[in-house]
């Protein structure tokens, strides 16, 4: 019993020891340079290239935003699978799952609600039960 | 001996389902994980507001459209202010790790100034929209716009208050462990707001103007 407790303690201590990765000015600079590029490109695309196919630009801009979010997560928020014994990553994955369900669900349901709504005239509206 | 108490020693046997000895925890050790969980719940607030924007963002009600209202050069300046404040906040953290209180305070001041510039420009933009008659009451598009961007701005404003308070704390007590912990929470909060802003400038401003 005592042995088990001691081992747990040791493991616990180890997990805490790795809780915070050291921040370095170099890491921040790398992240900053990447994110400047990832910000400048979509702004440039939209401010100069609106005459092109808007749907393509929309897709590219969305993709760049996703990459930039990952860059910020890694270089600024220091996300990795080991910090706090993996709990920060687990919480993040759970949040992303909820966010995905909420966003895609809302957009999907509301789009169909709009698309499938019967067109109604003022006459019909007056005779509603 | 009509009743046996159960154990040879005569004491009743009581199983325990908890650790009788609590191992030591440094003060505030769990704060960073707890703060991360808070940020994740904040993320859900923004997710709902983004979903609202996604549903209502093109419901103009015959009113002004994003391409008539949004001034992309201003948004670009705003974005660069927030992005720069993120890296200056990072430099403040590096300073606190290296135990340089002056260094930390200097970069915190710069971060605060950049953040204040961001909030100022945003308020200016809101005022400009309202003068034009593009108020939240005008259309569902504008209601969702003001709610989403306003909530983000409110977070940044709270972050500014937090920076000011922490500067006083660090100035008075130096980089004691409690202050380092607070600084780490602040930097997580600030970087998180920058991540949310990526979503705002992409989905609200850039894609809004494309529509």
């Amino acid at each position: 019993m005592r042995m088990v407790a001691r081992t747990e303690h040791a493991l616990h201590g180890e997990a805490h020891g790795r809780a915070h990765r050291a921040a370095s000015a170099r890491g921040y600079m790398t992240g900053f340079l990447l994110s400047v590029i990832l910000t400048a490109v979509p702004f440039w695309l939209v401010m100069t290239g609106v005459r092109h196919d808007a749907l393509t630009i929309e897709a590219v801009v969305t993709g760049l935003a996703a990459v930039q979010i990952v860059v910020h997560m890694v270089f600024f928020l220091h996300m990795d699978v080991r910090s706090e014994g993996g709990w920060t990553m687990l919480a993040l994955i759970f949040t992303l799952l909820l966010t995905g369900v909420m966003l895609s669900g809302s957009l999907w349901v509301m789009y169909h609600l709009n698309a499938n709504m019967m067109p109604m005239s003022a006459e019909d509206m007056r005779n509603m039960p | 001996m009509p009743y046996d108490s159960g154990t040879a020693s005569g004491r009743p046997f009581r199983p325990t389902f908890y650790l009788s000895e609590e191992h030591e925890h440094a003060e505030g050790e769990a704060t960073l994980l707890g703060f991360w969980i808070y940020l994740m719940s904040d993320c859900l607030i923004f997710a709902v507001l983004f979903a609202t924007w996604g549903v209502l963002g093109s419901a103009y009600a015959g009113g002004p459209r994003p391409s008539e209202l949004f001034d992309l050069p201003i948004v670009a300046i705003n974005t660069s202010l927030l992005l720069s404040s993120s890296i200056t906040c990072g430099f403040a953290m590096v300073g606190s790790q290296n135990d340089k209180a002056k260094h930390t305070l200097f970069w915190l001041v710069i971060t605060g100034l950049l953040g204040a510039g961001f909030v100022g420009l945003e308020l200016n933009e809101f005022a400009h929209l309202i003068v034009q008659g593009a108020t939240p009451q005008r259309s569902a598009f504008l209601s969702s716009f003001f709610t989403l961007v306003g909530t983000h701005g409110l977070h940044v404003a709270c972050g500014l208050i937090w920076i000011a308070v922490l500067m006083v704390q660090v100035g008075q007590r130096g980089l004691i462990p409690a202050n380092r912990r607070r600084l780490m929470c602040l930097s997580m909060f600030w970087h998180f707001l920058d991540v949310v802003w990526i979503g705002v400038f992409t989905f609200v401003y850039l894609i809004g103007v494309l529509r």
Side-chain angles (χ1 to χ4, degrees), chain A:
Chain A
M1 200 50 208
R2 219 144 157 98
M3 263 308 286
V4 174
R6 280 173 65 99
T7 318
E8 264 176 17
H9 193 162
L11 283 174
H12 201 68
E14 196 187 352
H16 282 179
R18 285 187 305 203
H20 325 299
R21 212 170 69 188
S24 71
R26 227 181 112 96
Y28 280 116
M29 278 315 285
T30 316
F32 182 68
L33 286 178
L34 282 173
S35 99
V36 165
I37 297 167
L38 289 166
T39 306
V41 171
F43 268 97
W44 176 78
L45 272 178
V46 173
M47 285 164 86
T48 62
V50 188
R51 283 155 294 156
H52 296 299
D53 180 18
L55 215 62
T56 319
I57 295 180
E58 216 169 290
V60 172
V61 166
T62 309
L64 287 171
V67 176
Q68 194 179 355
I69 286 174
V70 174
V71 165
H72 278 236
M73 284 280 178
V74 172
F75 289 97
F76 292 162
L77 283 163
H78 307 300
M79 278 303 295
D80 58 30
V81 288
R82 280 161 298 132
S83 59
E84 302 278 0
W87 286 107
T88 49
M89 186 50 94
L90 204 64
L92 177 67
I93 291 170
F94 180 59
T95 310
L96 288 180
L97 185 76
L98 283 183
T99 307
V101 169
M102 211 136 58
L103 279 171
S104 56
S106 305
L107 293 175
W108 182 44
V109 166
M110 295 310 287
Y111 173 76
H112 280 267
L113 202 64
N114 281 339
N116 295 335
M117 201 69 122
M118 294 270 283
M120 197 180 270
S121 64
E123 184 70 24
D124 291 333
M125 196 80 99
R126 269 195 290 277
N127 296 330
M128 285 271 285

Side-chain angles (χ1 to χ4, degrees), chain B residues 3 7 38 94 111 128 144 160 165 187:
Chain B
Y3 297 108
T7 56
Y38 154 69
V94 174
T111 309
H128 196 63
S144 55
L160 289 178
V165 172
S187 90

Side-chain angles (χ1 to χ4, degrees), chain B residues 3-54:
Chain B
Y3 297 108
D4 194 341
S5 58
T7 56
S9 65
R11 277 189 306 168
F13 173 67
R14 283 205 195 136
T16 52
F17 299 107
Y18 53 88
L19 286 175
S20 48
E21 294 170 62
E22 178 60 56
H23 58 260
E24 281 173 36
H25 278 276
E27 185 233 330
E29 197 178 60
T31 306
L32 292 177
L33 179 58
F35 194 76
W36 181 255
I37 305 279
Y38 154 69
L39 285 184
M40 292 296 99
S41 70
D42 224 14
C43 187
L44 293 181
I45 292 180
F46 283 109
V48 175
L49 293 178
F50 272 111
T52 312
W53 164 262

